[in-house]
């Protein structure tokens, strides 16, 4: 048979219940109907088989392992090994303990015995199945089927055909699947397992179950010829790679982990080397390249399976959890590499002549074969030992030169007798081998003679004795080696101790530095805290100041409001008086308060100018007639109103809302007067113009000039006009007085406004502009308003001054005319007296 590649099956186990609870996500999936696996969303890996979480044990067995069992019975060696991270399902797949569904081992056992039965019935082939079960724990091989001598040492060797064998392991012959399972159970009981953070039944060792099958077939044509096929199936449950961080291992578990990982690392190196080699030689076997099998015992055990003469199936087990995606990736990459390894399986046939052998297969024959094999193995062992001794000697020589603790002379003392001992053992073995060959020659018939049996027994005894002495020597040697190793270890430990002490000193120094730095930082922090405290105090003081300023501001605001209202009242008084004056033409009416400020809510009507009726119309004459009648009445009324002028004025200045009412009352009164004396009241028509400009109406000379001067021919009698003028004079005087008072008030107001403005500016200058924008916004319009009010007040004051001057002039003119009239009336009286 030519080269065949190692077959690789990937098995993704389902998420475990606790993983589901912890909300792990699936990060690896099988591409449906293919042997491909996708990691994440885009990393695709191809294998020979791929099994998802739903795949059953039987599926895995049928597609991957059954063909190997069949080839095993055809004489081919086969290996199934499970590889993967800890907790990924290796033991489950092979068939661990307390499993509901049987794993590969159970199925192999059943099928193997079934097939053997079938072959026996068809070919008459006799088969012997031997089982051995061992574990590799902390790089020590241990027999799991030797209950008493579990501590005995096992050695890995190569037989004459280049097959790897383990010397000293117990092999149990089994005849049924049940026997195999009970043996397996026994072995599993001895196997090292433990609880880790990732698996409750974590295998702490690599376990190798070997089924050796010997099938003896008879040739149908020539019954004297018998062929024996020997093959073996290794089922290997590797311990999983572990990360201390994830498993939480410590102490002995950590040491176990270290050994496991070292073994797996060596396995990885072997697989890498084999896969590279396979790729480089393009299918041609190249035996020269170095494959580091000897780096670890597990690689030595799997030597036949990887790059050897075995049909190998690797089951790469992975967990689907996203938390172990890196490990899964490593396993998949590793498995991909393993697919490149080429093996060269060949069936192990041995044909013997039936004449020289008894027809019935005799176990003694097999035993002899075994003895021969043992002798050979012992010889090889001897050679290896010699080689080892040689190497060890070289090493110790070089150590002695370096000035190590063990001196060269002592080495020589130790090695010389050892060499002699080895030579003696070799000689003994040589003798035994010669005797064994003589014994073989003496086998004459199917049933050996008693003498022959005796000789064989003697030979066996001597072999045991030699083996014992050899083992004793070995033990001695190993003890010496152990001593050496211990002294070496001691030296190393001392060195490490020195190194650690140095490190400790350096770290202490660093610690001191850090302490000093911490203290420095501490002081800095304290300083900063102090600064912060003082800043907080400053802040509190500043807050107090700002509070005071805010209070001042509020006070000023109140003051401004008060002043504004006072100003409004004042304007109302002035304008009321002016309107009254302009409407009546006489200054004996109580002034009404109409605020002069711009934003007054009082409705301003446009000024209406009424012209006088035609001089010679009938209505005019009638009106003049009626006027005279009513004039007296009006004068009486007006006198009454003048009397209560002061009272009304106060009332008017109190409430602006009442002004409206007063206005309407005045209007009503006006209408009443108009009904009574139309002509005398015609000048009152513009009364509605409450907001007329002072120059045009209220205080202007125009209004005074427009005072009713009836154009009719009817003239009032001199006494009457004299009386009228007297009343007007007194009203003018009162008006002048009022104006003077108002002017004084206005001046006072202007002064107050100036002072407020100054204070506002002072407040402004205290830093509100930068710290509190909101207050600046309040202050600025207030200041503007106060300035506007001040300007109004000033304008109004000027106007009042003008008005007063005019009134005074008018008063003077009225006084002059009265004097003239007085003279005229006197003349008239004199004339009338004379007449
Ligand atoms: P390993 O040997 O790789 O460390 P185990 O075989 O001990 O891991 O498996 C760990 C856990 O996962 C066990 O509880 C096992 O029952 C469970 N498990 C593994 N593979 C499967 C599977 N295919 N189906 C169901 N449970 C599984
Ligand atoms: Mg396991």
């Amino acid at each position: 048979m030519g080269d065949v590649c190692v077959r690789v099956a990937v098995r993704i186990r389902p998420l475990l219940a606790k993983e589901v609870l912890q909300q792990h996500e699936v990060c690896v999936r099988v591409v449906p109907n293919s042997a491909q696996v996708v990691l994440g969303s885009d990393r695709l890996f191809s294998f020979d088989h791929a099994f998802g979480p739903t795949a059953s044990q039987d599926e895995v067995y049928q597609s991957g392992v059954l063909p190997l069992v069949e080839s095993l019975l055809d004489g081919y060696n086969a290996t199934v090994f499970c590889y993967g991270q800890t907790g990924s399902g290796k033991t489950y797949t092979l068939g661990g303990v307390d499993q509901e569904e049987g794993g590969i081992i159970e199925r192999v056992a059943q099928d193997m015995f079934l097939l053997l039965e079938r072959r026996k019935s068809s070919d008459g082939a006799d088969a012997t199945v031997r089982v051995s079960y061992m574990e590799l724990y902390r790089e020590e091989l241990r027999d799991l089927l030797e209950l008493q001598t579990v501590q005995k040492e096992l050695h890995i060797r190569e037989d004459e055909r280049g097959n790897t064998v383990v010397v000293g392991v117990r092999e149990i012959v089994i005849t049924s699947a049940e026997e195999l399972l009970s043996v397996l159970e026994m072995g599993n009981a001895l196997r090292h397992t433990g609880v880790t953070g990732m698996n409750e039944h974590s295998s702490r060792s690599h376990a190798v179950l070997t089924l050796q099958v010997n099938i003896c077939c008879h040739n149908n044509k020539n019954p004297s010829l018998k062929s024996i096929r020997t093959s073996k199936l290794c089922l290997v449950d590797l311990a999983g790679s572990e990360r201390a961080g994830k498993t939480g291992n410590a102490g002995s578990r950590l040491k176990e982990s270290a050994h496991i990982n070292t073994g797996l690392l060596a396995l990885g190196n072997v697989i890498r080397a084999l896969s590279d080699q396979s790729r480089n030689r393009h299918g041609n076997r190249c035996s020269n390249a170095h494959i580091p099998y000897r780096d670890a015992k597990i690689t030595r055990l799997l030597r036949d399976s990887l790059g050897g003469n075995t049909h190998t199936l690797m089951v790469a087990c992975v967990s689907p959890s996203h938390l172990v995606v890196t490990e899964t990736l490593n396993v998949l990459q590793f498995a991909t590499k393993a697919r490149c390894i080429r093996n060269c399986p060949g069936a192990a046939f041995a044909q013997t002549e039936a004449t020289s052998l008894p027809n019935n297969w005799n176990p003694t024959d097999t035993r002899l074969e075994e003895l021969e094999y043992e002798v050979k193995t012992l010889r090889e062992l001897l050679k290896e030992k010699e080689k080892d001794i040689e190497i060890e000697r070289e090493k110790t020589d070089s150590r002695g030169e370096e000035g190590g603790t063990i001196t060269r002379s002592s080495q020589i003392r130790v090695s010389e007798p050892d060499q002699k001992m080895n030579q003696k053992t070799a000689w003994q073995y040589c003798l035994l081998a010669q005797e064994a060959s003589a014994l073989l020659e003496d086998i004459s018939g199917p049933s050996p003679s008693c003498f022959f049996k005796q000789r064989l027994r003697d030979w066996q005894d001597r072999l045991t004795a030699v083996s014992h002495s050899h083992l004793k020597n070995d033990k001695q040697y190993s003890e010496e080696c152990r001593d050496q190793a211990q002294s070496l270890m001691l030296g190393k430990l001392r060195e490490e101790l020195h190194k650690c002490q140095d490190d400790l000193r350096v770290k202490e120094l660093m610690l001191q530095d850090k302490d000093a730095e911490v203290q420095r930082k501490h002081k800095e922090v304290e300083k900063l805290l102090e600064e912060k405290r003082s800043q907080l105090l400053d802040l509190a003081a500043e807050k107090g100041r700002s509070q005071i300023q805010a209070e001042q501001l509020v006070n000023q605001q109140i003051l401004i409001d008060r002043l504004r209202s006072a100003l409004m009242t004042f304007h109302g008084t002035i304008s009321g008086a002016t309107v009254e004056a302009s409407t009546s033409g006489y200054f004996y009416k109580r002034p009404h308060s109409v605020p002069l400020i711009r934003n007054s809510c009082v409705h301003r009507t446009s000024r209406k100018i009424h012209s006088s009726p035609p001089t010679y119309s009938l209505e005019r004459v009638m009106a003049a007639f009626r006027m005279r009648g009513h004039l007296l009445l009006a004068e009486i009324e007006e006198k009454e109103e003048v009397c209560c002028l002061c009272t009304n004025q106060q009332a008017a200045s109190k409430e602006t809302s009442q002004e409206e009412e007063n206005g309407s009352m005045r209007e009503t009164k006006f209408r009443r007067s108009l009904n009574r004396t139309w002509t005398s009241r015609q000048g009152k028509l513009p009364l509605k113009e409450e907001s007329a400009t002072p120059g045009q109406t209220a205080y202007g000379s125009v209004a005074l000039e427009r005072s009713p001067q009836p154009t009719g021919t009817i003239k009032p009698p001199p006494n009457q006009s004299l009386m009228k003028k007297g009343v007007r004079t007194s009203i003018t005087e009162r008006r002048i007085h009022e104006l003077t008072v108002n002017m004084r008030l206005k001046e006072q107001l202007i002064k107050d406004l100036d002072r407020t403005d100054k204070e506002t500016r002072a407040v402004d200058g205290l830093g509100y502009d930068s710290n509190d924008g909101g207050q600046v916004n309040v202050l600025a319009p207030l200041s503007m308003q106060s300035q506007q009010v001040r300007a109004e007040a000033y304008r109004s004051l000027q106007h009042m001054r003008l008005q007063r001057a005019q009134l005074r002039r008018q008063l003077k003119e009225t006084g002059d005319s009265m004097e003239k009239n007085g003279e005229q009336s006197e003349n008239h009286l004199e004339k009338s007296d004379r007449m």
Side-chain angles (χ1 to χ4, degrees):
M1 193 180 247
D3 285 3
V4 287
C5 285
V6 168
R7 295 180 73 76
V8 176
V10 168
R11 187 174 196 191
I12 305 165
R13 71 157 167 78
L15 280 176
L16 301 179
K18 71 170 182 189
E19 290 173 338
V20 174
L21 278 178
Q22 288 165 5
Q23 295 178 341
H24 290 210
E25 281 168 27
V26 173
C27 71
V28 59
R29 284 171 192 86
V30 172
V31 178
N33 304 320
S34 76
Q36 289 180 320
V37 161
V38 186
L39 181 70
S41 58
D42 53 353
R43 299 200 73 158
L44 194 70
F45 296 88
S46 296
F47 301 101
D48 298 298
H49 309 278
F51 305 103
T54 52
S56 65
Q57 295 277 56
D58 198 47
E59 249 178 88
V60 177
Y61 170 75
Q62 293 288 341
S63 54
V65 187
L66 185 59
L68 296 184
V69 176
E70 282 163 351
S71 70
L72 174 79
L73 302 189
D74 290 336
Y76 292 96
N77 290 340
T79 300
V80 177
F81 75 94
C82 292
Y83 177 88
Q85 196 212 357
T86 184
S88 57
K90 300 180 293 295
T91 310
Y92 179 90
T93 302
L94 269 184
V97 276
D98 307 331
Q99 245 173 244
E100 281 177 24
E101 234 189 329
I104 288 174
I105 296 175
E106 198 179 318
R107 283 160 209 278
V108 164
Q110 279 163 2
D111 278 1
M112 191 176 66
F113 283 103
L114 202 75
L115 287 171
L116 282 174
E117 280 295 310
R118 271 188 212 156
R119 287 204 179 191
K120 193 173 184 178
S121 55
S122 63
D123 307 345
D126 279 318
T128 319
V129 181
R130 288 201 186 93
V131 62
S132 69
Y133 195 20
M134 59 195 153
E135 71 169 354
L136 186 58
Y137 177 69
R138 290 199 185 191
E139 279 302 279
E140 291 281 331
L141 267 177
R142 303 157 82 97
D143 196 336
L144 293 174
L145 302 182
E146 283 274 17
L147 278 175
Q148 310 304 324
T149 54
V150 86
Q151 300 294 336
K152 83 172 180 190
E153 275 189 43
L154 303 174
H155 300 278
I156 304 163
R157 303 283 171 249
E158 258 184 45
D159 67 7
E160 77 280 7
R161 283 176 297 195
N163 292 329
T164 306
V165 289
V166 179
V167 180
V169 72
R170 187 182 174 197
E171 285 181 340
I172 297 175
V173 177
I174 49 160
T175 52
S176 67
E178 288 72 35
E179 272 182 37
L180 174 61
L181 291 178
S182 67
V183 165
L184 181 73
E185 213 169 303
M186 192 172 82
N188 280 340
L190 292 180
R191 192 181 171 188
H192 283 87
T193 54
V195 181
T196 67
M198 292 189 77
N199 192 353
E200 283 177 17
H201 300 283
S202 175
S203 319
R204 312 308 302 154
S205 63
H206 308 297
V208 184
L209 181 86
T210 311
L211 295 168
Q212 176 124 21
V213 184
N214 287 317
I215 302 173
C216 185
C217 299
H218 295 282
N219 198 319
N220 287 341
K221 288 175 188 169
N222 186 1
S224 61
L225 279 175
K226 195 173 89 170
S227 67
I228 298 168
R229 277 178 301 203
T230 310
S231 54
K232 63 172 180 179
L233 171 66
C234 289
L235 299 163
V236 185
D237 178 18
L238 295 173
S241 53
E242 295 184 335
R243 282 196 187 176
K246 285 191 177 172
T247 52
N249 286 347
S252 66
R253 286 269 172 279
L254 198 64
K255 278 182 193 161
E256 284 169 2
S257 284
H259 281 291
I260 292 167
N261 290 339
T262 316
L264 292 175
L265 188 71
L267 182 65
N269 291 336
V270 166
I271 288 181
R272 200 172 302 117
L274 283 170
S275 63
D276 286 349
Q277 192 191 60
S278 299
R279 265 189 246 125
N280 292 339
R281 63 191 154 89
H282 300 292
N284 301 317
R285 187 164 267 279
C286 170
S287 55
N288 296 334
H290 173 70
I291 309 295
Y293 288 116
R294 295 190 73 87
D295 282 3
K297 282 190 176 161
I298 188 66
T299 46
R300 287 178 74 189
L301 279 176
L302 291 175
R303 186 179 186 140
D304 295 344
S305 312
L306 300 167
N309 56 3
T310 309
H311 282 291
T312 304
L313 171 75
M314 172 184 174
V315 184
C317 298
V318 291
S319 154
S321 168
H322 73 284
L323 292 186
V324 290
V325 68
T326 326
E327 286 82 356
T328 305
L329 177 66
N330 286 340
V331 171
L332 294 175
Q333 284 173 341
F334 185 81
T336 311
K337 278 214 164 79
R339 280 191 82 202
C340 305
I341 299 171
R342 285 175 175 277
N343 288 353
C344 187
F349 290 98
Q351 275 208 347
T352 47
E353 260 202 72
T355 46
S356 63
L357 287 170
N359 280 338
N360 293 329
W361 180 56
N362 193 343
T364 324
D365 305 336
T366 324
R367 181 71 191 131
L368 273 173
E369 273 176 24
E370 283 169 12
L371 287 170
E372 267 187 353
Y373 170 68
E374 260 186 54
V375 171
K376 270 185 193 168
T377 314
L378 286 168
R379 273 193 192 139
E380 277 168 21
L381 200 70
L382 196 68
K383 273 181 200 164
E384 258 184 44
K385 269 263 149 66
E386 280 173 357
K387 266 187 206 165
D388 286 350
I389 289 162
E390 240 355 90
I391 292 162
E392 197 59 42
R393 197 185 298 152
E394 276 169 19
K395 273 187 191 169
T396 44
D397 283 353
S398 60
R399 248 182 264 133
E401 277 164 22
E402 283 166 16
T405 50
I406 302 155
T407 59
R408 198 189 177 96
S409 57
S410 68
Q411 278 299 306
I412 291 162
R413 271 205 303 280
V414 171
S415 60
E416 264 177 6
D418 190 52
Q419 207 175 358
K420 275 178 194 166
M421 193 71 77
N422 282 330
Q423 276 169 359
K424 193 182 153 193
T425 320
W427 182 72
Q428 280 171 344
Y429 277 128
C430 223
L431 276 179
L432 279 169
Q434 278 169 10
E435 273 180 45
S437 68
L439 274 172
L440 278 172
E441 276 169 16
D442 289 350
I443 297 171
S444 51
S447 51
S449 63
C450 284
F451 175 66
F452 178 80
K453 279 182 187 167
Q454 184 59 43
R455 274 177 64 194
L456 189 65
R457 226 172 285 130
D458 286 350
W459 186 85
Q460 278 175 341
D461 289 343
R462 260 182 293 137
L463 181 70
T464 322
V466 170
S467 301
H468 274 298
S469 69
H470 175 68
L471 279 174
K472 221 168 116 187
N473 290 343
D474 261 11
K475 263 183 197 164
Q476 266 180 2
Y477 176 71
S478 63
E479 269 170 23
E480 281 160 11
C481 283
R482 212 174 295 143
D483 286 348
Q484 277 182 20
Q486 275 176 359
S487 60
L488 273 173
M489 183 70 84
L490 215 64
K492 269 185 194 167
L493 285 172
R494 270 199 203 115
E495 267 176 34
E496 273 180 30
L497 191 71
H498 286 308
K499 265 188 205 164
C500 287
Q501 278 172 346
D502 287 346
D503 281 357
L504 201 70
R505 244 171 270 138
V506 171
K507 274 180 185 160
E508 268 176 3
L509 283 173
M510 274 162 68
L511 209 68
Q512 278 173 3
D513 282 358
K514 276 185 182 158
D515 272 351
E517 205 176 321
V518 166
Q519 275 178 355
R520 245 194 340 269
K521 294 269 173 212
H522 216 71
K523 274 179 193 164
E524 274 175 30
V525 167
E526 270 176 12
K527 217 164 122 184
L528 285 171
L529 278 172
E530 198 59 46
E531 271 175 28
K532 199 168 179 181
R533 248 175 260 137
S534 68
Q535 278 173 356
L536 279 171
L537 284 173
D538 288 352
L539 200 72
E542 197 61 42
K543 263 187 190 169
R545 269 202 295 280
S546 71
Q547 225 166 351
I548 292 164
Q549 282 169 355
E551 276 168 20
Q552 280 178 355
L553 206 71
V554 170
N555 287 341
Q556 281 164 2
Q557 180 62 40
I558 292 164
L559 189 66
I560 287 165
D561 286 349
R562 257 190 228 148
L563 288 171
R564 195 186 292 149
S565 68
L567 190 69
M568 277 159 70
T569 315
F570 176 74
H571 274 299
T573 315
I574 301 293
S575 59
T578 315
V579 168
E580 198 63 35
S582 67
T583 49
S584 63
Y586 300 99
F587 293 94
Y588 50 81
K589 268 277 182 191
R590 180 181 65 81
H592 294 269
S593 58
V594 178
L596 272 175
I597 55 168
R598 270 178 200 176
N599 296 329
S600 167
C601 54
V602 177
H603 177 66
R604 297 174 189 203
T605 49
S606 58
R607 188 180 170 222
K608 290 175 188 170
I609 299 166
H610 296 262
S611 58
S612 304
T615 317
Y616 297 108
S617 68
L618 182 64
E619 287 96 329
R620 178 84 181 152
V621 173
M622 287 302 290
F625 182 73
R626 272 199 300 275
M627 184 197 72
R628 276 203 302 278
H630 289 295
L631 194 61
L632 280 169
L633 255 174
E635 276 175 8
I636 294 160
E637 274 176 18
E638 281 161 1
K639 269 180 195 168
E640 281 168 9
E641 281 177 21
V642 168
C643 286
C644 24
L645 182 73
C646 293
T647 333
N648 285 342
Q649 198 172 355
Q650 276 170 10
S653 65
K654 269 183 187 170
E655 283 181 41
T656 322
S657 59
Q658 282 181 2
E659 285 171 14
E660 302 273 315
E661 287 172 28
N662 290 342
S664 61
M665 277 173 67
R666 279 197 303 273
E667 227 170 47
T668 325
K669 205 179 270 180
F670 162 67
R671 282 193 195 112
R672 257 193 290 136
S673 314
L674 198 70
N675 287 339
R676 284 180 302 205
T677 52
W678 183 86
T679 36
S680 68
R681 289 283 174 183
Q682 59 180 321
K684 284 188 182 179
L685 282 175
L687 227 176
K688 285 177 189 171
E689 298 176 34
E690 290 178 346
S691 60
T693 49
Q696 285 172 319
T697 54
Y699 305 104
S701 55
V702 182
L704 291 169
E705 282 164 13
R706 280 179 65 236
S707 57
Q709 293 291 329
T711 49
T713 49
I714 304 160
K715 282 186 181 175
N719 280 347
Q720 212 176 2
S721 75
L722 213 64
M723 210 168 82
K724 223 175 180 178
K725 275 181 184 168
V727 170
R728 208 183 293 163
T729 309
S730 73
I731 287 169
T732 310
E733 277 170 359
R734 183 176 283 277
R735 180 76 193 126
I736 287 165
H737 176 69
E738 278 172 7
L739 276 172
T740 313
V741 170
N742 280 343
M743 275 164 63
R744 247 182 249 139
L745 275 172
K746 283 247 160 158
E747 278 163 359
Q748 187 61 38
L749 175 70
I750 287 164
K751 272 183 199 165
D752 282 347
L753 280 173
D754 281 344
R755 204 177 58 240
T756 313
D757 202 36
K758 261 186 205 168
E759 281 172 2
T760 312
R761 276 190 199 144
V763 169
D764 225 355
L766 276 172
Y768 277 95
D769 47 350
S770 61
N771 294 339
D772 197 342
Q775 293 197 30
V776 170
N777 287 343
V778 173
L779 225 55
L782 284 175
S783 170
M784 288 272 287
Q785 263 186 14
S786 108
Q787 277 177 8
Q788 280 170 7
V789 170
R790 189 191 175 283
E792 291 275 11
Y794 187 73
R795 232 181 292 134
S796 158
L797 184 70
Q798 295 289 19
H799 191 79
M800 278 179 189
R801 275 185 192 138
L802 254 173
Q803 203 180 1
R804 195 173 63 177
Q806 278 176 354
L807 284 172
R808 276 183 183 153
R809 218 182 308 130
Q810 209 175 5
L811 194 67
K812 204 179 165 191
E813 280 169 13
T814 316
D816 289 347
S817 68
M818 271 179 74
E819 271 178 23
K820 271 185 192 170
N821 282 346
E823 282 172 16
Q824 276 178 2
S825 62
E826 274 175 21
N827 290 339
H828 184 73
L829 281 169
E830 277 174 14
K831 272 181 189 173
S832 59
D833 286 342
R834 264 182 247 141
M835 280 173 74

